[in-house]
Amino acid sequence: MFSKAFSLYALVLAGIAGVAAQLEPGLYIIRSAALDLDTFPLARVRDSGSGQPLIVSASSSVPQSELWSLTFGTGGGLIMQNVAFETFLKVTSNNPGTTVATDTDETQATSFAITSAGSGLSHINVVGQDLLWTLPAATEATDLVIHTEWADGRQEQLWKLNRL
């Protein structure tokens, strides 16, 4: 019995280590799996300035608005800072439908858990909550606002993080 429990514990730790190794702190570009990458090759998560909602868009007038610096945060999560605007991502409510927004104040930053969803994709949620980053269903990649929704397996809740 002890041996089986220890083996299960070791497998869980190995799984956690695999996820952590996949997302080391560094620079990332984040893309939505809901938008066809061939049709929308430039559709990326972008910052549009402090106090503004986080968006997915195929274009931006600000160079590097799609570059995100990930650093260790609280609760085993990651803090996300935009390289161009030097803003931090935050979620101000634990209610579904809350917009993921930006703020220049690092003390307002939310710590996000980024977990593997398989096939190189990830779920992004506030540490300790089952509310995932969610993109509205869309056929265009024009300023789609990211918000939180309960995890339900939709394609709009899957993200690809590419480390630079």
Side-chain angles (χ1 to χ4, degrees):
M1 179 74 160
F2 176 75
S3 177
K4 286 183 182 180
F6 183 76
S7 296
L8 179 59
Y9 179 72
L11 286 173
V12 169
L13 285 179
I16 291 169
V19 170
Q22 177 186 349
L23 290 171
E24 289 295 318
L27 286 178
Y28 288 83
I29 291 176
I30 306 169
R31 302 180 72 175
S32 170
L35 296 171
D36 179 62
L37 300 181
D38 292 328
T39 306
F40 303 107
L42 297 177
R44 298 175 178 162
V45 173
R46 299 177 190 272
D47 189 346
S48 52
S50 181
Q52 299 300 311
L54 188 62
I55 61 171
V56 170
S57 181
S59 65
S60 174
S61 60
V62 180
Q64 299 185 341
S65 65
E66 76 277 2
L67 295 180
W68 298 94
S69 174
L70 277 60
T71 57
F72 290 120
T74 59
L78 294 164
I79 300 292
M80 298 180 174
Q81 182 182 25
N82 185 268
V83 171
F85 289 101
E86 297 183 356
T87 52
F88 299 89
L89 297 186
K90 69 176 184 177
V91 176
T92 58
S93 168
N94 59 359
N95 295 318
T98 301
T99 299
V100 179
T102 60
D103 198 309
T104 55
D105 183 358
E106 185 175 5
T107 66
Q108 298 299 309
T110 298
S111 188
F112 293 98
I114 302 174
T115 56
S116 176
S119 301
L121 300 174
S122 298
H123 290 121
I124 303 173
N125 61 287
V126 175
V127 169
Q129 295 183 10
D130 193 28
L131 292 168
L132 299 179
W133 279 20
T134 305
L135 197 64
T139 56
E140 296 294 323
T142 307
D143 297 350
L144 302 170
V145 175
I146 299 170
H147 63 281
T148 60
E149 291 292 340
W150 298 116
D152 62 13
R154 284 185 280 166
Q155 182 88 3
E156 290 84 6
Q157 295 180 327
L158 297 173
W159 302 90
K160 181 153 185 70
L161 288 85
N162 296 101
R163 186 166 186 197
L164 302 179

